[in-house]
Amino acid sequence: MRSHNHGTLRYYTFETFPSSNLTHAVFGRQGGISPSPYDTLNMSISMGDSLSNVRQNRCRAFDVLNLSLDSVSTLWQVHGSKTIVVGNELCDPYTRGDALVTNRVGVSLFLRFADCVPIFLVDPVRKAIGIAHAGWRGVVSGVIQAAVKTMVSHFRCQPYNILAGIGPSVGPDQYRIGPQVSEAIEQAFPRTDLLLLNRNGRVHLDLWAASEQALRNCGVLAIETARLCTATHSEQFFSHRGEQGRAGRFGAVIALHA
């Protein structure tokens, strides 16, 4: 990914995504106004930060991209696989789900993260986009496949035309898991030799490899993986694991424009 600085605010974009008619970004944690432990560009009200702080942070971030907060479509994220198609009306933010897709110009699909994987999807042929929130529960429940299949069924996308981006999230070295998660991964994936890794006698999960495998199983071929670990770089990104649960959430957005 490329990093971009705008004053103290930093955001990241995928190098393989088209620059025309598309705006997208994964924001870091700096450049906002929220106090510790949400310092400073916290994008979520669910962790205890004030609505005023979060709104000002979102305004700062969206202004950098020349996007309006009035264009935002977002969800109440629940670690599942429900995918919402955004049409003429923006999604109610209290709608539960973990993926959004659209082919509407001027709609900003927006989700929040702090170790889970941001999955970006772009079909430059059918001019459709998507974003998904994929932790281990989402990966196991098939949120990535659901987002791709929804783009195929609603917008007639061909998976081989879709460009995918796997954003910053917890990396395998920092993601030690227990038997319950191991068993769930083994049931969800036919091959786990590259997903479940032994680190000094402990089992670790590679969410990046799991996301790549899920995308390829759908027929998506073009995948860019950031390989930026949020737990290792908690000074750059919020990390639930790296900050023992006391963390804000960084934002990720994608939008089509004329």
Side-chain angles (χ1 to χ4, degrees), residues 58-80:
R58 291 184 182 182
C59 281
R60 288 188 180 196
F62 276 61
D63 282 349
V64 167
L65 301 178
N66 294 316
L67 297 175
S68 167
L69 282 185
D70 293 335
S71 71
V72 168
S73 232
T74 191
L75 291 168
W76 182 353
Q77 298 164 213
V78 292
H79 298 278

Side-chain angles (χ1 to χ4, degrees), residues 62-114:
F62 276 61
D63 282 349
V64 167
L65 301 178
N66 294 316
L67 297 175
S68 167
L69 282 185
D70 293 335
S71 71
V72 168
S73 232
T74 191
L75 291 168
W76 182 353
Q77 298 164 213
V78 292
H79 298 278
S81 61
K82 185 176 181 181
T83 300
I84 303 297
V85 179
V86 182
N88 292 326
E89 294 186 5
L90 299 179
C91 185
D92 184 327
Y94 293 102
T95 300
R96 297 185 178 219
D98 286 276
L100 293 160
V101 299
T102 193
N103 65 350
R104 300 293 181 179
V105 170
V107 173
S108 300
L109 307 181
F110 175 69
L111 296 176
R112 285 87 49 210
F113 301 85

Side-chain angles (χ1 to χ4, degrees), residues 15-243:
E15 297 184 16
T16 53
F17 280 13
S19 57
S20 61
N21 304 320
L22 180 74
T23 297
H24 76 285
V26 176
F27 293 98
R29 66 179 294 166
Q30 301 300 332
I33 65 166
S34 295
S36 178
Y38 316 112
D39 48 323
T40 60
L41 196 67
N42 172 43
M43 300 283 203
S44 173
I45 61 171
S46 66
M47 304 308 295
D49 197 4
S50 74
L51 177 60
S52 175
N53 287 343
V54 171
R55 183 168 181 81
Q56 288 189 59
N57 289 340
R58 291 184 182 182
C59 281
R60 288 188 180 196
F62 276 61
D63 282 349
V64 167
L65 301 178
N66 294 316
L67 297 175
S68 167
L69 282 185
D70 293 335
S71 71
V72 168
S73 232
T74 191
L75 291 168
W76 182 353
Q77 298 164 213
V78 292
H79 298 278
S81 61
K82 185 176 181 181
T83 300
I84 303 297
V85 179
V86 182
N88 292 326
E89 294 186 5
L90 299 179
C91 185
D92 184 327
Y94 293 102
T95 300
R96 297 185 178 219
D98 286 276
L100 293 160
V101 299
T102 193
N103 65 350
R104 300 293 181 179
V105 170
V107 173
S108 300
L109 307 181
F110 175 69
L111 296 176
R112 285 87 49 210
F113 301 85
D115 284 343
C116 293
V117 187
I119 303 291
F120 288 73
L121 302 169
V122 179
D123 184 343
V125 177
R126 299 300 303 174
K127 296 182 172 54
I129 55 174
I131 189 171
H133 165 253
W136 76 263
R137 289 182 178 87
V139 166
V140 164
S141 66
V143 66
I144 296 172
Q145 296 93 321
V148 172
K149 289 176 182 177
T150 303
M151 291 178 69
V152 170
S153 63
H154 280 76
F155 310 132
R156 293 186 295 165
C157 297
Q158 296 294 334
Y160 54 76
N161 288 328
I162 293 175
L163 311 176
I166 298 173
S169 64
V170 64
D173 289 343
Q174 299 290 338
Y175 200 10
R176 193 174 76 187
I177 60 172
Q180 176 191 6
V181 179
S182 295
E183 291 170 9
I185 294 294
E186 288 171 347
Q187 291 175 6
F189 290 90
R191 285 192 58 190
T192 60
D193 52 311
L194 299 178
L195 311 185
L196 300 176
L197 310 174
N198 187 297
R199 295 285 192 271
N200 298 318
R202 303 281 190 171
V203 178
H204 287 232
L205 172 59
D206 189 338
L207 272 178
W208 302 333
S211 299
E212 291 168 354
Q213 191 174 135
L215 286 162
R216 291 195 180 98
N217 288 345
C218 294
V220 176
L221 305 177
I223 305 169
E224 180 182 345
T225 304
R227 300 197 177 279
L228 288 170
C229 177
T230 48
T232 300
H233 300 289
S234 58
E235 79 286 353
Q236 297 180 40
F237 302 98
F238 293 110
S239 171
H240 177 81
R241 181 165 291 240
E243 298 172 82

